[in-house]
Amino acid sequence: MLRSWRIPAASLVLVAGAALTALAAGGASAAATPSATHTSAAKTVTVTIHTATGTRTVKMVPVAVARPGSTLHQVKPSTQLGAKSGVSHASTTSTNWSGYAADSGTYSSVSATWVQPTGTCGGSGAKDKYSSFWVGLDGYSSSTVEQTGTDTDCVGSTPSYYGWYETYPNPSYSFGDAISPGDTISASVTYESGSSFEYTLSDKTKNWSVSTTQTESSAARSSAEVIVEAPCCTALGQPLQLADFGTVNFSDSVVDGSAIGNTSPEQITMVGNSGNDKDTVSSLSAGENWSATWKSAK
């Protein structure tokens, strides 16, 4: 499922810096997919931003930036028993995803809430690293992903936090509203009709919400997931290093109005090339609450 557009990891620092500069200036900037890190023909999109003080409409154009968004790169399947729920869940290891995915039907909505984790980025000379937290439809067994979420990235020794949406393999768009570690984030993707999907991202701590409707004509809607992701790819086709996010706690993981645990979901653990776990994923509590804990960058 690897994509053909790639740039060396060293090049990502320059484009990432451009996006951060735009965000700091108060504008809404955008980012391209990491497994398809490339510059697409500029496509302006209109995003409706809802806040406590009113509603505004902004236009955004994508720029080339390393940002997550790719289909699952599966390594091997296995089966394990959910310790708390007592329900047998299929388990998969992946080089770039961890979390939970419903994959046995056709899905119309997915949502979850999480606390934005703090990035631990190391000292002078530290390498860039990336971690993403998102909800989405498709991507587990199909070639598109309709997704929205947030990042905890390390640009060298400096942590960076931002929210985005993406209709993969098209470019992703970063929202200009500020996100801080410790903020409570809610996200949802909802199929509307035809080829239309609504993406909504909210920061409950800062009291803002963003939403936009975009189209994907080839979406299969064959999976729904709540995911931690290591962006992909380096020049060698490998996932970029996973930023140390500590532990991220997810709650209210819901698919089509019901707890994701009711779908007999796949539990996914991210692994490195040597077979080591890059993070650990807890079992589901009450069918919809779980956590992921960082273990290794690669």
Side-chain angles (χ1 to χ4, degrees):
M1 295 183 184
L2 291 175
R3 303 297 171 183
S4 59
W5 304 286
R6 295 173 189 148
I7 62 174
S11 301
L12 302 179
V13 179
L14 299 178
V15 291
L20 293 174
T21 300
L23 286 173
S29 68
T33 62
S35 132
T37 308
H38 64 291
T39 302
S40 296
K43 175 188 175 184
T44 300
V45 298
T46 299
V47 176
T48 302
I49 300 180
H50 305 282
T51 70
T53 57
T55 300
R56 69 184 189 272
T57 300
V58 298
K59 292 185 177 181
M60 301 191 300
V61 177
V63 296
V65 157
R67 222 236 23 91
S70 59
T71 53
L72 174 137
H73 302 161
Q74 184 170 306
V75 179
K76 61 180 180 180
S78 62
T79 301
Q80 67 181 38
L81 190 68
K84 294 185 179 180
S85 64
V87 177
S88 180
H89 297 296
S91 179
T92 297
T93 52
S94 162
T95 59
N96 62 322
W97 283 18
S98 63
Y100 285 90
D103 68 329
S104 57
T106 301
Y107 304 96
S108 295
S109 67
V110 59
S111 59
T113 296
W114 61 90
V115 177
Q116 185 71 20
T118 300
T120 301
C121 296
S124 176
K127 291 185 177 180
D128 293 356
K129 301 179 179 67
Y130 308 85
S131 294
S132 297
F133 318 96
W134 55 267
V135 301
L137 297 174
D138 284 319
Y140 187 87
S141 57
S142 56
S143 60
T144 69
V145 194
E146 302 81 47
Q147 56 185 160
T148 186
T150 62
D151 261 44
T152 291
D153 294 345
C154 291
V155 182
S157 60
T158 304
S160 170
Y161 310 93
Y162 57 98
W164 49 268
Y165 81 86
E166 177 176 276
T167 306
Y168 181 83
N170 296 310
S172 64
Y173 293 79
S174 296
F175 298 118
D177 295 77
I179 291 176
S180 301
D183 286 0
T184 298
I185 305 295
S186 289
S188 66
V189 176
T190 303
Y191 171 68
E192 294 185 325
S193 63
S195 58
S196 296
F197 294 83
E198 181 183 58
Y199 305 77
T200 300
L201 185 71
S202 303
D203 188 321
K204 294 184 176 181
T205 303
K206 291 187 170 62
N207 199 25
W208 59 257
S209 178
V210 292
S211 63
T212 183
T213 297
Q214 301 296 322
T215 60
E216 174 50 69
S217 59
S218 59
R221 295 192 288 125
S222 58
S223 63
E225 50 269 331
V226 184
I227 296 296
V228 176
E229 182 176 2
C232 181
C233 292
T234 67
L236 298 178
Q238 300 299 315
L240 302 173
Q241 292 194 25
L242 185 68
D244 183 353
F245 57 84
T247 295
V248 57
N249 295 302
F250 290 87
S251 60
D252 305 320
S253 302
V254 170
V255 173
D256 288 350
S258 179
I260 195 171
N262 294 336
T263 68
S264 297
E266 297 276 355
Q267 185 186 57
I268 308 163
T269 300
M270 204 184 312
V271 297
N273 289 335
S274 62
N276 60 293
D277 289 347
K278 291 195 279 189
D279 68 352
T280 58
V281 175
S282 74
S283 58
L284 288 167
S285 171
E288 56 188 39
N289 308 317
W290 58 281
S291 63
T293 299
W294 182 90
K295 292 189 68 176
S296 175
K298 60 183 179 178

